Amino acid sequence: MTYAGESDESLMERYARGEAAAFEALYRRHEMRTWRYLERNSGNRATADELMQEVWFAVARDAPRYEPTARFTTWLFTIAHNRLIDSIRANRRHLSLDTVGYEAEPVIGQLTTDPSVGPLAAVCARDRATALKHAVGQLPREQREAFLLQVEGDLSVEEIAAATNSSFETTKSRLRYARSKLRELLNEYA
Amino acid sequence: MSEIPPGKDHSDIVDATYRQASALDPSRPSESVRRNVLAHAEQLARSYAGEVAAVASSDGTRRRSQHSWWRRPAVFGTLIAAAVAGIWVAPQIFLSHGRGTPNSTLVTSASRPEAESLPAPPPSPSMPLTATPAAPAAPTRMASPQAALAPTAPAPAAPAPATPAPATPAATPSTTAGETLSYQEPRESMANAAQGHTETSTSDTQPSAKVAKKSADAAEAEDKARTPSALSAGAALQARAFASASRAATRASPNTAQQPTPTPSDAVSTLWRAATTGDVQALQTSIAARVDVNARDAEGRTALMLATLHGQMVAVNVLLEHGADPNLADSQGITPLQAAVNAAQPAIAAALQRAGAR
């Protein structure tokens, strides 16, 4: 059965009635966004895998209690945010991007490399992605979290504020400062 | 960090750059994560499906039970009604068959004139009771069917000669030292009427007569068991004759059942009817007339049970206030509380529980 035209909320209701295929469709629809959010916030693939599993286990477990009062993605990324915070508070073994200390200068240099020139295009593309992750890693944790929730989770400022338990103005400031930081690096190495 | 936050255009450029780079990111969650997540989700889905099916089936069961809660009592009620109807109708068929025989017709028609000439009670009920030898009277009545039929006439209204009235078989056994009464209250005459009809039937030796005699004998046995032997002769006789008359009025053949005089069974019937219809005024009148509030009908149901079955909350309260026993079960063993629960009458059930119903 195909679920291409069905909303996330409808798929959740189907799964809550025991339709496993609906959950699989939902998972595949949001897998990469969730993964990127977790991986770029945690800075560690193993931690991201662990958190990814926990998040989707929680989604499956709480499906019968899910009420579509808000968008599914808001609910999903709120769970992901909470798992991430729990992970940080539990002082698990992970590589925090705050403590890694990526070098901004080479990252931005890779971002400005033209991938369409020559046989190194594929390598450049991979490098650009890596540079992006490094650039995001340069951001303070709160700013990075807010930025990733918006660009990966497609959450509004209000939704981010609610998910991170912050005020609207604080969230808005975090988003602005996050983008300002990234823009500075881009302009500097463009 | 910039002091001035970027504008919308800069935000768009940053976001577009991020998304472009993200699309090129080859990193993905490990395959084991996907496997684990989907396997876990499938396992939970099975349990969810089971829960949904269980809820659906329980809903269906509850719906069915809600729709059919009345069926069992209805079936029992129908069976009971059929049984009662059979018990009442069968003897009447026998009796009517018996009346249709020439012997019975002859005896009855022959007895009519004599009945009018037979002695009746004196007009004044305040006349003192005097004991007279009863031994000669009883054999005479038993020997002569015509004489035995005499009380079938409306004796209370007839003028009373001074001759002693025959003692009833019910009175004779408990009369001490062979004494009997020379005066009978109108109720006693009624008892004699019923008894006399029974004896007449006995003399006919027909099947219906046997049934009627058995009923009369049973009534007598009950009277004997209920009346203490230490009672004075007059009081015991009056009470016994009263009870005998009431039972005879309900059990005897149509000839005697047509007595217009109100009987205690009428008062009890009024009580039951008032409890059924919720007629509080009639209920209180019946109770004021000292009718036994715990009297049972043919199915063993008390007035409280009838009021409960018909959802008459006020009647239930009145009966409970006047000492109705909330734990008297009917012939099926169903208590008023069970009936209230079965009839979905929570307020009545609560009132019964407050009154000590179990």
Side-chain angles (χ1 to χ4, degrees):
Chain A
M1 184 176 182
T2 176
Y3 299 102
E6 290 217 34
S7 67
D8 297 339
E9 292 77 20
S10 173
L11 290 177
M12 276 297 282
E13 287 179 1
R14 282 178 177 275
Y15 176 64
R17 291 197 297 267
E19 208 169 311
F23 183 87
E24 187 173 353
L26 201 61
Y27 177 82
R28 294 193 182 280
R29 191 180 287 181
H30 298 286
E31 180 185 26
M32 289 309 301
R33 299 168 70 185
T34 318
W35 162 257
R36 287 195 293 265
Y37 171 78
L38 293 170
E39 195 245 358
R40 288 168 194 180
N41 265 312
S42 67
N44 183 278
R45 184 186 175 90
T47 304
D49 272 350
E50 188 181 346
L51 291 172
M52 180 80 169
Q53 187 165 297
E54 287 181 10
V55 167
W56 283 98
F57 275 17
V59 169
R61 190 179 58 248
D62 295 338
R65 289 180 291 279
Y66 169 74
E67 293 179 2
T69 54
R71 288 187 304 148
F72 171 75
T73 48
T74 305
W75 185 61
L76 172 66
F77 278 90
T78 302
I79 293 173
H81 167 77
N82 292 335
R83 294 286 166 181
L84 190 67
I85 296 300
D86 289 345
S87 171
I88 292 169
R89 285 177 182 166
N91 198 19
R92 289 183 181 176
R93 292 186 59 195
H94 67 281
L95 295 174
S96 171
L97 290 176
D98 283 345
T99 58
V100 168
Y102 288 107
E103 294 180 356
E105 197 167 341
V107 169
I108 298 302
Q110 290 172 9
L111 277 171
T112 56
T113 305
D114 185 3
S116 62
V117 177
L120 298 177
V123 176
C124 287
R126 189 176 61 247
D127 289 344
R128 283 187 70 183
T130 307
L132 173 73
K133 286 193 280 188
H134 281 248
V136 171
Q138 295 289 315
L139 300 173
R141 186 177 63 83
E142 291 83 5
Q143 292 178 21
R144 183 174 62 243
E145 242 187 322
F147 176 73
L148 289 172
L149 282 172
Q150 190 159 62
V151 294
E152 295 293 350
D154 202 23
L155 269 61
S156 66
V157 179
E158 291 86 353
E159 289 169 338
I160 295 168
T164 57
N165 199 23
S166 306
S167 70
F168 178 82
E169 290 301 326
T170 302
T171 306
K172 202 171 176 181
S173 295
R174 285 173 182 170
L175 287 169
R176 283 181 179 176
Y177 282 119
R179 289 196 172 89
S180 174
K181 178 76 174 177
L182 289 173
R183 186 178 64 85
E184 277 182 15
L185 293 172
L186 285 172
N187 288 338
E188 188 174 346
Y189 296 99
Chain B
M1 191 177 296
S2 173
E3 293 293 327
I4 304 170
K8 188 175 185 303
D9 292 340
H10 293 146
S11 298
D12 290 344
I13 293 168
V14 172
D15 289 0
T17 306
Y18 174 85
R19 288 198 172 93
Q20 188 181 1
S22 282
L24 300 171
D25 187 0
S27 64
R28 294 188 179 282
S30 62
E31 192 58 34
S32 64
V33 170
R34 179 181 296 178
R35 249 194 334 267
N36 290 342
V37 167
L38 294 180
H40 183 67
E42 193 171 348
Q43 187 180 352
L44 287 175
R46 280 196 291 272
S47 66
Y48 295 158
E51 288 173 8
V52 168
V55 168
S57 67
S58 67
D59 281 351
T61 306
R62 199 181 310 126
R63 214 170 290 128
R64 280 195 299 277
S65 66
Q66 284 174 352
H67 287 173
S68 62
W69 63 268
W70 52 270
R71 285 182 185 166
R72 189 174 296 177
V75 168
F76 276 122
T78 306
L79 290 175
I80 290 167
V84 170
I87 290 169
W88 280 96
V89 169
Q92 289 182 4
I93 291 173
F94 280 125
L95 286 173
S96 63
H97 181 69
R99 279 199 305 272
T101 59
N103 280 343
S104 172
T105 309
L106 284 174
V107 169
T108 305
S109 60
S111 66
R112 289 284 176 191
E114 288 189 34
E116 291 173 1
S117 63
L118 280 176
S124 170
S126 60
M127 181 179 285
L129 297 172
T130 55
T132 56
T140 303
R141 292 188 62 216
M142 293 302 288
S144 168
Q146 287 79 7
L149 269 177
T152 55
T163 52
T168 65
T172 305
S174 64
T175 305
T176 55
E179 290 180 350
T180 184
L181 299 176
S182 62
Y183 165 70
Q184 290 176 327
E185 293 280 349
R187 288 170 179 171
E188 263 187 287
S189 297
M190 287 169 51
N192 285 339
Q195 195 64 41
H197 177 80
T198 305
E199 288 170 359
T200 305
S201 302
T202 306
S203 66
D204 291 341
T205 64
Q206 291 178 359
S208 59
K210 288 179 181 175
V211 172
K213 185 176 188 308
K214 281 181 182 177
S215 302
D217 291 343
E220 279 183 27
E222 284 177 16
D223 284 344
K224 287 175 189 173
R226 287 175 189 170
T227 307
S229 59
L231 279 177
S232 66
L237 277 173
Q238 283 186 354
R240 204 169 289 121
F242 186 88
S244 175
S246 65
R247 270 191 294 278
T250 56
R251 293 180 187 173
S253 66
N255 287 340
T256 55
Q258 287 172 359
Q259 297 288 340
T261 310
T263 63
S265 64
D266 292 335
V268 174
S269 297
T270 304
L271 177 76
W272 293 331
R273 192 162 48 248
T276 303
T277 59
D279 187 348
V280 177
Q281 193 173 358
L283 197 62
Q284 288 175 336
T285 304
S286 298
I287 293 169
R290 297 187 178 180
V291 172
D292 181 11
V293 292
N294 292 319
R296 299 167 186 260
D297 65 2
E299 297 175 29
R301 297 177 302 188
T302 62
L304 182 63
M305 175 67 95
L306 291 169
T308 301
L309 289 171
H310 290 83
Q312 303 294 350
M313 179 69 193
V314 180
V316 167
N317 285 333
V318 169
L319 287 164
L320 289 173
E321 285 170 7
H322 288 85
D325 189 344
N327 290 310
L328 288 181
D330 64 7
S331 56
Q332 299 294 318
I334 297 172
T335 65
L337 181 59
Q338 290 171 331
V341 172
N342 290 338
Q345 298 285 353
I348 293 177
L352 291 168
Q353 282 182 322
R354 282 195 297 274
R358 295 184 295 273

